[in-house]
Amino acid sequence: MRKLEKNRVFEGNLILVNQNYPLRCTIAAKNLCPVFENQSQILMQQECAGMLDKLFQELNWSISEEIYQLIVGVSGYRTKSEQEEIFDDSLKENGRAFTEKYVAFPDHSEHQTGLAIDLAENREEIDFIRPQFPYQGICQKFREKIADFGFIERYPKEKQDITKIGAEPWHFRYVGVPHAEIMKRYGMALEEYIVWLKQFSFPDHSFIWRKGDREFKIGYVEAEETLTKIDLSEYGKQMQGMEERAGEIISYNLAECKELPNIQISGNNVDGFVITYAQ
Ligand SMILES: [Zn+2]
């Protein structure tokens, strides 16, 4: 039996951070690392930085130019005070309407999660708030591959009413494998996906997703007032080590470990947990 404290709801790859749901966990500095060799100031959480690196490497194989010359990072992880500064600067420079459309309030920005990044097509002039990342050429090639590596385009134009954020073709969010693919297939924004998942209660009514010879079982568990108990007994031996380690590690990288059955638990930052089991 896995016991999760209430505040675990606010951690994990699937946390929904938006106007209604502020970030409520602290991202430890030791979990952050640079995404690009030549841009050490752009940080993301380790797992997602690793996946982004893999995605770039795969793209690099398929093109004749060096990918890092074509696409550059603009902004990754931000502290709360950095977000405040960006928000205040934009208010002064661009006014309230523009700022509220494109810059999130402090604690409501995905950039504070360490799971989001703004990217730009490499040009002489790069706009910090609204970088160019067109739906063509290398940027589009990148966009077409992101779901395989657990990323989504978080603020597409057609979801503005749901996300309450203007179209941001440059902003990408890590949600993990295979969630990004499912969201893409069914055309769901993260707001919609979090609600949709709640119909699949874990373990008996989990959603089954197949990819090649792998099967993923995804289910939801509502958080209890204090401790939420999640019965993982059917996953047998592989869970024992995890139970013993208890403490910090609740997340395993499903994509890293193709040969092993694997399990991942993420809070949704709203009211419960999403369990992802891969075999
Ligand atoms: Zn962004």
Side-chain angles (χ1 to χ4, degrees):
M1 193 69 73
R2 178 84 189 152
K3 296 190 190 98
L4 295 170
E5 284 164 21
K6 182 74 195 271
N7 60 9
R8 292 282 190 183
V9 166
F10 310 124
E11 299 174 4
N13 292 336
L14 283 164
I15 53 172
L16 175 68
V17 172
N18 63 14
Q19 229 177 46
N20 297 331
Y21 299 101
L23 179 73
R24 293 175 64 180
C25 70
T26 321
I27 310 300
K30 66 174 183 354
N31 291 336
L32 295 164
C33 65
V35 183
F36 303 105
E37 259 175 39
N38 52 353
Q39 291 186 287
S40 57
Q41 78 286 10
I42 297 186
L43 306 174
M44 293 186 99
Q45 286 200 41
Q46 279 182 21
E47 176 185 319
C48 96
M51 292 301 278
L52 190 59
D53 186 51
K54 278 190 177 177
L55 163 54
F56 270 91
Q57 283 179 31
E58 188 171 308
L59 264 178
N60 219 11
W61 281 108
S62 66
I63 56 171
S64 52
E65 285 163 278
E66 178 70 24
I67 184 81
Y68 302 99
Q69 303 297 326
L70 304 174
I71 295 177
V72 294
V74 178
S75 183
Y77 169 73
R78 297 173 193 157
T79 61
K80 181 177 183 174
S81 58
E82 283 167 341
Q83 185 66 24
E84 279 166 349
E85 208 179 309
I86 292 166
F87 192 89
D88 293 341
D89 287 350
S90 176
L91 267 186
K92 275 178 230 149
E93 269 174 46
N94 309 308
R96 185 160 287 273
F98 176 94
T99 301
E100 288 187 4
K101 192 169 176 192
Y102 293 109
V103 185
F105 282 95
D107 280 342
H108 294 262
S109 170
E110 281 202 332
H111 285 277
Q112 285 178 242
T113 67
L115 298 168
I117 190 161
D118 295 339
L119 297 171
E121 187 175 49
N122 197 5
R123 298 179 181 185
E124 205 123 300
E125 298 260 317
I126 293 175
D127 187 309
F128 181 77
I129 294 185
R130 303 186 66 206
Q132 294 291 325
F133 204 81
Y135 290 92
Q136 57 197 28
I138 187 65
C139 296
Q140 186 57 16
K141 254 191 175 167
F142 170 88
R143 204 178 262 110
E144 279 160 14
K145 282 205 180 293
I146 59 175
D148 292 342
F149 293 83
F151 287 86
I152 55 168
E153 184 182 333
R154 178 71 174 89
Y155 305 116
K157 194 172 174 218
E158 63 275 16
K159 296 289 181 185
Q160 285 184 86
D161 291 347
I162 291 158
T163 63
K164 310 284 187 238
I165 300 270
E168 294 196 358
W170 57 84
H171 179 109
F172 298 93
R173 159 74 194 263
Y174 186 69
V175 290
V177 173
H179 302 285
E181 292 172 293
I182 299 168
M183 293 169 71
K184 182 179 174 182
R185 167 78 68 84
Y186 295 107
M188 285 183 276
L190 189 54
E191 281 79 2
E192 296 169 298
Y193 187 55
I194 293 302
V195 174
W196 181 82
L197 280 175
K198 286 163 79 163
Q199 65 187 299
F200 303 105
S201 65
F202 184 87
D204 294 343
H205 299 96
S206 299
F207 175 72
I208 307 291
W209 177 259
R210 289 189 182 84
K211 189 189 182 190
D213 55 358
R214 300 193 86 194
E215 185 181 281
F216 294 89
K217 207 179 209 187
I218 300 167
Y220 168 79
V221 175
E222 190 176 358
E224 301 288 339
E225 231 7 88
T226 50
L227 280 183
T228 306
K229 292 176 188 153
I230 300 176
D231 184 3
L232 298 170
S233 54
E234 74 170 280
Y235 303 106
K237 243 185 171 177
Q238 54 156 326
M239 293 311 302
Q240 285 171 12
M242 191 170 156
E243 297 276 340
E244 282 158 24
R245 270 188 272 176
E248 292 313 301
I249 303 168
I250 57 164
S251 149
Y252 284 77
N253 186 351
L254 296 162
E256 286 292 340
C257 240
K258 290 210 165 92
E259 63 288 348
L260 290 171
N262 216 328
I263 199 144
Q264 191 172 62
I265 301 172
S266 172
N268 64 9
N269 204 36
V270 180
D271 56 9
F273 300 95
V274 178
I275 290 93
T276 309
Y277 173 72
Q279 60 189 149

